[in-house]
Amino acid sequence: MKKLTRKEKLFADGLLEGKDKGEAAIDVYDIESDNKVNVGGAIATQNLKKLKIIQYLEDNGYGAATRIVKLSKDAQNETVRLNANKDILDRSNIGVKQPINAFQFNFNSDKGSYA
């Protein structure tokens, strides 16, 4: 497997630290554009198609998850513990869902039909 460039590694490490892909790209790459968000997102999308970056993320993801779990239990700061727990829930796709309302009526849809 090819080795990551310094910027690719910094980008991937940013993702493992919990940054979103656009933010990780903006932090690493020298983007000289008025629209850094879109350019950062495009760079991130290109990077996430590279097999060497995908492999790096897969190889190092367990360590990142382990560090997050450790933070959720051992951090001295309550905010850090709460954010680590939130991150665990977000990554596992568990969290507070919006309740489903079984009775969703549009009372205006039949307006005037019962005259």
Side-chain angles (χ1 to χ4, degrees), residues 58-112:
E58 288 175 353
D59 291 347
N60 292 285
Y62 179 77
T66 301
R67 289 189 298 276
I68 292 169
V69 170
K70 185 166 176 43
L71 273 175
S72 74
K73 294 177 181 178
D74 300 337
Q76 296 295 317
N77 184 307
E78 182 178 6
T79 302
V80 172
R81 285 195 313 274
L82 290 171
N83 285 335
N85 280 298
K86 180 185 178 301
D87 192 62
I88 291 167
L89 293 173
D90 289 346
R91 289 172 190 258
S92 61
N93 215 14
I94 300 171
V96 178
K97 305 281 189 224
Q98 293 296 324
I100 298 172
N101 186 352
F103 301 103
Q104 295 178 348
F105 294 108
N106 183 352
F107 291 103
N108 293 322
S109 65
D110 60 352
K111 194 173 187 178

Side-chain angles (χ1 to χ4, degrees), residues 11 15 19-27 31 36-37 40-42 44:
F11 168 77
L15 293 177
K19 295 179 183 176
D20 72 38
K21 64 182 185 175
E23 179 184 6
I26 290 168
D27 287 350
I31 301 171
K36 286 186 178 189
V37 173

